[in-house]
Amino acid sequence: SDPSGVWTFSAGGSATAVGQYGVYDNAVSDSGGRVSDTGRGSLAIDLEVGFTNPTGGSGLISGSFAEGNGLNGAGGVSLSTNADDLESDVKGINGHDRDYLLEAWYQQRFGLSNGLDLELTGGLIDPTRYLDLNDYANDEVTQFMNEAFVNRLFIPSYDPGVRVGLSGDNWQADLVWIDSRRQNPTGQSVGFDFYAVGISMDYENALGPGEVNIDLQTTSRSFGRSGNSRVPGAALSISQSLGDGLGVFARTALLRDDESAAIHRGLISAGLSYDLALRNAQILSCGFAFAHLAGLGDETGNIRNSLAVESFARWSVSRRTSVTFDLQYVEDRLRRVEDPGLWAFSLRTHLLF
């Protein structure tokens, strides 16, 4: 609790504009036609307001307004080249009659003995605030853009849920439940429950500081494609600083080998990031990453595996403005069908306000 007895309020936001050009090879759209080389763009404006009260409580409401879907809207490959919440993500969120409102939750903190803190959170939540954290591959508006380098295989967000967090000096444990929806093969929305436990720990070794995150998850039976199978999984995420602005990361995840609503059952990724301090608080950041994803299913057209490679260079013009050039290659290796590929060239501008 706050002995001063003062309520505090905050508000902030950001705007992210992305222009993309895609060069496709053997890519087919959802409607069955060939995907031609194309240029597309998107604009996302994110806003949030929050408060804290004297009793250890806090709350947050966040929304996103987006125009355009970039190359995500062209289809052709299984992985999104921009993992930001774009127009199709913020309208009819998860099959609900709800647009733009992403989060609305209240959190209560309790100080326990031995330096422990307990937090209870409930409302419209985003579990990626607590699960699968990584210092170098976790933010699609300032780091890598491809979804394979932002989070692991499957974490639903922006639906009613509860989170219980317990933290100590250098560790945190979180239990998360969320009631979400997915689309079945006929296009209908099907509700399912998602459960996860995550443990994160900060450490320091001879190389420098680092963080390790371990997550276990499962779902209700309705998540399976047949509507009658749970889909458990596990994930490991590690970030390690090597000093002088250089850092590396690795992430791996595995879902049960089941015909579920997911299209990949395994992921392994790794990469590096480097920050170079320039004059006048400007920073030049570079990153390179590689990911391999194992597919699901044995039918013609199912994905055997997918490949993603990404490199970016970001110039932080000021503490609030950055410009990024990003290059990606994505390829799906399909069963008994030509393998589609995509070279994606992106220019991203991000502004905090």
Side-chain angles (χ1 to χ4, degrees):
S1 62
D2 181 2
S4 65
V6 175
W7 286 68
T8 64
F9 296 88
S10 62
S14 67
T16 306
V18 177
Q20 295 184 290
Y21 190 81
V23 179
Y24 292 85
D25 184 29
N26 299 324
V28 178
S29 68
D30 293 340
S31 61
R34 288 282 181 177
V35 180
S36 302
D37 299 350
T38 184
R40 300 198 179 189
S42 63
L43 172 65
I45 298 176
D46 302 316
L47 303 172
E48 67 176 45
V49 293
F51 72 88
T52 62
N53 64 31
T55 65
S58 60
L60 180 136
I61 297 176
S62 71
S64 183
F65 305 87
E67 183 70 28
N69 292 297
L71 293 180
N72 295 356
V77 292
S78 65
L79 295 172
S80 297
T81 56
N82 185 355
D84 200 3
D85 296 312
L86 303 181
E87 183 174 354
S88 62
D89 303 307
V90 302
K91 292 182 177 179
I93 297 171
N94 296 334
H96 298 286
D97 187 20
R98 169 166 49 92
D99 300 336
Y100 311 124
L101 177 62
L102 303 183
E103 298 175 85
W105 47 258
Y106 179 78
Q107 177 174 285
Q108 186 65 48
R109 178 183 177 188
F110 303 93
L112 306 179
S113 60
N114 300 320
L116 300 179
D117 287 317
L118 175 68
E119 291 181 339
L120 303 178
T121 310
L124 293 176
I125 65 172
D126 178 9
T128 62
R129 286 185 178 268
Y130 322 109
L131 304 174
D132 194 35
L133 305 179
N134 194 288
D135 288 337
Y136 304 112
N138 215 190
D139 185 354
E140 63 275 11
V141 298
T142 61
Q143 298 171 336
F144 297 98
M145 294 177 60
N146 192 289
E147 64 173 321
F149 307 118
V150 177
N151 284 116
R152 56 182 169 82
L153 293 172
F154 172 70
I155 305 177
S157 295
Y158 313 139
D159 268 326
V162 174
R163 169 251 181 178
V164 179
L166 183 67
S167 60
D169 288 339
N170 64 341
W171 62 270
Q172 179 167 314
D174 293 285
L175 294 171
V176 177
W177 163 77
I178 190 170
D179 176 15
S180 193
R181 289 187 180 185
R182 68 167 181 86
Q183 276 196 336
N184 66 14
T186 64
Q188 296 175 314
S189 290
V190 178
F192 70 93
D193 294 304
F194 173 86
Y195 311 91
V197 56
I199 299 175
S200 63
M201 180 174 294
D202 297 325
Y203 66 86
E204 187 151 359
N205 55 26
L207 299 174
E211 182 180 24
V212 58
N213 292 264
I214 301 172
D215 297 341
L216 300 175
Q217 72 170 63
T218 191
T219 68
S220 59
R221 292 184 180 277
S222 56
F223 181 74
R225 193 170 294 278
S226 65
N228 192 34
S229 60
R230 301 180 188 276
V231 182
L236 173 67
S237 177
I238 300 173
S239 51
Q240 172 70 58
S241 172
L242 302 179
D244 296 325
L246 181 63
V248 295
F249 79 90
R251 177 185 277 123
T252 184
L254 183 67
L255 293 177
R256 178 174 141 190
D257 192 358
D258 180 87
E259 286 286 340
S260 70
I263 58 175
H264 294 104
R265 62 177 175 84
L267 172 148
I268 183 167
S269 65
L272 57 86
S273 177
Y274 178 66
D275 291 339
L276 176 64
L278 306 176
R279 292 185 301 175
N280 301 322
Q282 299 181 31
I283 298 175
L284 179 64
S285 303
C286 302
F288 176 82
F290 168 89
H292 179 274
L293 299 91
L296 276 167
D298 297 319
E299 298 179 2
T300 297
N302 286 159
I303 295 174
R304 290 188 292 117
N305 54 70
S306 299
L307 168 73
V309 181
E310 181 173 359
S311 182
F312 73 85
R314 184 182 78 250
W315 176 34
S316 297
V317 183
S318 67
R319 297 186 185 276
R320 294 183 173 273
T321 307
S322 64
V323 178
T324 304
F325 176 74
D326 183 275
L327 174 63
Q328 302 176 45
Y329 178 71
V330 178
E331 180 179 296
D332 291 326
R333 294 163 184 168
L334 307 182
R335 298 189 183 279
R336 298 174 289 279
V337 178
E338 285 186 308
D339 299 334
L342 165 64
W343 285 97
F345 304 84
S346 303
L347 183 65
R348 176 183 65 194
T349 302
H350 181 61
L351 172 66
L352 292 172
F353 50 83

